[in-house]
Amino acid sequence: MTEIDINLVQAHIEKLDMIGKMGNGGTSRLSYSKAWRQGQAFVTMLMETCGMTVERDAIGNLIGTYLGTEPNFPYLMVGSHLDTVPEGGSLDGALGVLTAIECIRTWQIAGYRPLRTVKIIATVEEEGTLFGLGCMGTRFIVGEMTMEKFAALHDKQGKTLAEYFADNGMNYEALAYSSIVPDEVFAFLELHIEQGQELDLSGEPCAIVTDIVGIDRHWITIQGHANHAGTTRMDRRRDALVAASMVVQEVYKAACSSQGLYVATVGAFKVTPGATNVIPGKVEFTIETRAAHDETMENVHLEILKLLRQVEEKYNVKAMVNERRFAPAVHFGTTISEELSKAAMDVKQKVKKMPSWAGHDSKIMARITQCGMIFVTSLNGISHSPEEATRWADVEKGLKILNQAMKRIASIPQC
Ligand SMILES: [Zn+2]
């Protein structure tokens, strides 16, 4: 069979990266933009060259179909996202699309057709840049989005999804109908850069992803009393900021001593009134925790509540969780994980097994089908940046596993 050509993948990545290239070296290929349209045209051309028929679904996911010998069997879907963050790197998302296409290129030259049809997907708006809603393309596929939810979306300038659709000559009303029937999807595979530093530090080039961590977000308010910063004695103060800073410190310390079980971040923080001569009366902030096990996040949640009671008592303030949003961890099933492990053995590649600490389209697709992911190294753990990089030798290793896993999974007969 024709060999995987890593130089060709590199050339395609570099070409796609030039579309939407900014002055600082970053790439902005935001969904529904001119760069996105040009990127889609480039990917369409690559797919068609490999004998795939290409269509775009109602929301703008690009899907190339390579027919199997049993086209009525549920199909294998493989891919990742085509959009980037503003001024992002060349690999996040794009690598998963272009490596999948490279596999099909070699299949077509060799005249190889698996049992099951394989569909390569380049999803839209995974990064959530436009509306703050990540994985919008796959949320549409799994049937999570209603017309009410679409109608509520608008960007920072107030521009709606319907207006973005109009810019692109896309039919907004068609969003009422999904093009994908969940039962027709057999499995979903995604190759992605790790975006963390685990692989780079361990010296292993690739990993099979076991889970995608859950995310538990809290919006917290600490209410103290704003008063004169000169005339209010220290023992009479109800300083909301001092109380909040204890929470920040304790949450950080606890996560540091969890031995990698979970991570916790205070990412947004607002002090009111925020003046040099006024004791802070109110502080609003967020705490986000991520873990591969839901029980871990639940325990941390209870610890946060306990901590809030402690600061209330210590600083004479009121501390409350106004809102909590909990997205459970996703555990990839054994069938696809085993096929990925066997594929790695077939190509004599040692792999690490690890959870993903970032969200991906696979996390959403797992609601309707069995999923699997392959990670390749992110040098220095850098991503969402023009400095994002992976050794091409590492990409090649991950790609060989992907190719073998696609063959294996697309050859699983109907049970
Ligand atoms: Zn990504």
Side-chain angles (χ1 to χ4, degrees), residues 80-81 92-93 126-127 192 195 360:
S80 194
H81 57 100
D92 182 3
E126 189 270 352
E127 298 289 2
H192 204 282
Q195 300 181 286
H360 295 288

Side-chain angles (χ1 to χ4, degrees), residues 254-414:
C256 286
S257 55
S258 78
Q259 291 173 326
L261 205 56
Y262 74 95
V263 293
T265 308
V266 175
F269 201 92
K270 186 178 164 212
V271 182
T272 309
T276 51
N277 57 355
V278 185
I279 296 162
K282 184 162 99 171
V283 173
E284 294 154 284
F285 61 101
T286 56
I287 300 175
E288 183 198 272
T289 63
R290 297 187 186 213
H293 302 286
D294 295 346
E295 316 84 82
T296 309
M297 288 179 287
E298 189 55 34
N299 289 337
V300 176
H301 167 71
L302 296 175
E303 287 302 317
I304 289 170
L305 296 183
K306 218 193 275 175
L307 184 58
L308 294 182
R309 298 294 79 80
Q310 284 169 11
V311 299
E312 279 187 327
E313 200 159 310
K314 188 164 182 189
Y315 296 107
N316 193 20
V317 292
K318 197 89 201 106
M320 58 228 125
V321 177
N322 299 319
E323 194 185 340
R324 181 187 180 200
R325 280 190 221 157
F326 182 81
V330 166
H331 312 292
F332 291 146
T334 47
T335 311
I336 300 301
S337 291
E338 278 172 15
E339 290 301 331
L340 284 167
S341 297
K342 286 178 193 163
M345 275 192 278
D346 290 347
V347 299
K348 299 185 175 54
Q349 183 56 55
K350 236 181 100 215
V351 282
K352 192 180 168 72
K353 299 221 169 152
M354 61 178 289
S356 167
W357 291 86
H360 295 288
D361 280 323
S362 294
K363 186 173 181 178
I364 304 297
M365 289 301 286
R367 293 184 199 166
I368 60 161
T369 192
Q370 44 191 349
C371 292
M373 285 190 80
I374 298 166
F375 271 167
V376 292
T377 328
S378 287
L379 290 182
N380 302 311
I382 296 172
S383 163
H384 285 186
S385 152
E387 291 168 45
E388 190 175 87
T390 302
R391 285 176 214 96
W392 287 102
D394 292 358
V395 174
E396 188 175 22
K397 287 168 184 155
L399 176 46
K400 283 183 174 162
I401 298 173
L402 177 72
N403 186 47
Q404 187 64 15
M406 282 166 63
K407 281 188 192 167
R408 278 186 159 274
I409 295 165
S411 304
I412 296 176
Q414 288 286 67

